[in-house]
Amino acid sequence: MLIGYRTLKTAVAAALAMWIAEEMQLDYYVFAAIIAILSIQATRKKSFRASYERIMASLLAIGVGFILFEVIGYRPIAIALYFIIFLPVTQRLRLQDGFITSVVILTHLYTAQKLNLDIFLNEIYLLLIGVGVGLLVNMYMPSLDQTIAERRRQIDQRIAALFFEVAAAVETGRINHHSLTLHETERLLKEGKDASLKRMGNAIGRRNDDEDYLYFRMREQQFELLSGIVRNVDDLVLVVAEGKKVADLFRTIGDNVRPDADATVFLNELRRLLEEFRVSPLPTTRDEFEVRSALLHMLQETEQYLQLKQRFVHQKR
């Protein structure tokens, strides 16, 4: 059984934090390990945010807890009032991740039945050790560049294959439903988008305008249009004269499924085809009408597909 890098980081952070706290002879030193574990998040940005929430919530808890205990005394009713007051406050201040940590600190104060400088510093040291070690260990994140590049390549190949299969169906009337399956493309899109989002979450100090994320968003929108194109394949009950030109266009688009390919030329060719459809004689049979209607819908979906690509290319510039 393989152990994930996040599991290893959690183990290292917990052991190191607890060892430091114990060496400093702090009370409740195990609490430092718990904070370190909670600081190990999926991305660096999430880790920093969660650590900030825990520190702020814990400081607030010490203040609120001290006031309640001084006014009411160290009794269970004070704990109950703490929950009633503090939970809405953490939600209002967006410090929800720090709530559990603050409750543990409150129980330390309740157990000690007092709050003095030594107890206050003990809790602060535990907090800083746990957060500091957790953040330090969580700085290590494996590179996602290779995964993202591989998903981009696989998605481009899959989209090209879909265009080739649709072209074959349009030209011959024979449909390979197995090759036209969209599930694999959908899975690759999700994996690629998740990986790019995770890398953005690990990029401290950078804006969230990652080119790879924009690419996967563009392909995701194109995928919805491709799904519509594939659904129209079932309506190709016979081969019509216009099918050859449509198939040629689809093959040309399939040959140029690249991130840097400009769609302007293909858009011009597609619009010329649409104009030919408009001026061509009306269908003479119901089957011909349905096929030409399906082809027209495919071209309209493809036009939107190419417009998305055109905006992506211009956005990069």
Side-chain angles (χ1 to χ4, degrees), residues 151-213:
R151 293 298 173 271
R152 287 184 60 150
R153 184 187 65 79
Q154 291 171 328
I155 289 167
D156 286 353
Q157 287 180 343
R158 187 67 192 131
I159 289 176
L162 283 169
F163 271 112
F164 293 143
E165 291 295 336
V166 171
V170 169
E171 194 169 42
T172 66
R174 292 192 293 271
I175 303 169
N176 186 349
H177 285 98
H178 176 72
S179 295
L180 288 172
T181 180
L182 299 167
H183 300 303
E184 180 68 10
T185 311
E186 190 173 21
R187 180 186 66 81
L188 292 169
L189 278 167
K190 184 180 184 308
E191 290 179 359
K193 185 179 173 183
D194 288 347
S196 64
L197 279 171
K198 191 171 184 180
R199 188 175 67 182
M200 286 165 60
N202 288 329
I204 304 299
R206 286 171 53 186
R207 299 187 319 176
N208 292 340
D209 55 356
D210 187 270
E211 181 184 314
D212 290 306
Y213 174 74

Side-chain angles (χ1 to χ4, degrees), residues 2-245:
L2 294 175
I3 299 176
Y5 76 93
R6 188 170 174 181
T7 302
L8 287 173
K9 289 197 299 184
T10 301
V12 170
L16 183 59
M18 188 164 61
W19 175 75
I20 293 172
E22 188 176 11
E23 286 296 305
M24 292 180 64
Q25 298 182 348
L26 299 177
D27 294 331
Y28 314 110
Y29 59 84
V30 176
F31 182 50
I34 296 173
I35 298 174
I37 291 171
L38 294 173
S39 298
I40 303 297
Q41 299 287 318
T43 67
R44 295 186 185 120
K45 287 182 181 177
K46 286 184 178 179
S47 188
F48 273 102
R49 177 63 196 179
S51 298
Y52 164 78
E53 290 183 26
R54 289 191 181 90
I55 291 173
M56 298 306 295
S58 298
L59 293 174
L60 189 58
I62 292 174
V64 173
F66 174 73
I67 293 171
L68 287 174
F69 289 143
E70 287 297 311
V71 173
I72 301 173
Y74 290 85
R75 295 188 293 172
I77 186 64
I79 300 291
L81 283 174
Y82 172 83
F83 281 107
I84 293 172
I85 296 171
F86 200 74
L87 187 54
V89 170
T90 56
Q91 292 175 338
R92 179 88 175 184
L93 298 177
R94 298 181 180 178
L95 302 174
Q96 294 94 322
D97 279 353
F99 180 73
I100 299 300
T101 307
S102 69
V103 170
V104 176
I105 288 179
L106 190 74
T107 61
H108 293 173
L109 302 183
Y110 186 85
T111 302
Q113 297 284 296
K114 62 181 178 180
L115 176 61
N116 54 34
L117 182 60
D118 289 338
I119 294 174
F120 175 78
L121 290 176
N122 187 86
E123 298 303 314
I124 294 300
Y125 289 149
L126 289 173
L127 193 62
L128 293 178
I129 291 169
V131 166
V133 171
L135 286 176
L136 179 63
V137 173
N138 211 43
M139 285 299 99
Y140 168 73
M141 290 287 178
S143 174
L144 294 166
D145 292 352
Q146 185 175 350
T147 299
I148 291 172
E150 181 66 13
R151 293 298 173 271
R152 287 184 60 150
R153 184 187 65 79
Q154 291 171 328
I155 289 167
D156 286 353
Q157 287 180 343
R158 187 67 192 131
I159 289 176
L162 283 169
F163 271 112
F164 293 143
E165 291 295 336
V166 171
V170 169
E171 194 169 42
T172 66
R174 292 192 293 271
I175 303 169
N176 186 349
H177 285 98
H178 176 72
S179 295
L180 288 172
T181 180
L182 299 167
H183 300 303
E184 180 68 10
T185 311
E186 190 173 21
R187 180 186 66 81
L188 292 169
L189 278 167
K190 184 180 184 308
E191 290 179 359
K193 185 179 173 183
D194 288 347
S196 64
L197 279 171
K198 191 171 184 180
R199 188 175 67 182
M200 286 165 60
N202 288 329
I204 304 299
R206 286 171 53 186
R207 299 187 319 176
N208 292 340
D209 55 356
D210 187 270
E211 181 184 314
D212 290 306
Y213 174 74
L214 296 177
Y215 162 85
F216 288 118
R217 283 287 296 127
M218 180 265 295
R219 289 297 191 214
E220 196 173 49
Q221 292 171 307
Q222 288 182 323
F223 176 77
E224 295 299 320
L225 296 167
L226 277 170
S227 300
I229 293 171
V230 170
R231 282 194 295 270
N232 278 274
V233 168
D234 287 330
D235 294 329
L236 304 177
V237 294
L238 57 84
V239 178
V240 296
E242 294 86 356
K244 178 68 170 67
K245 293 180 179 179

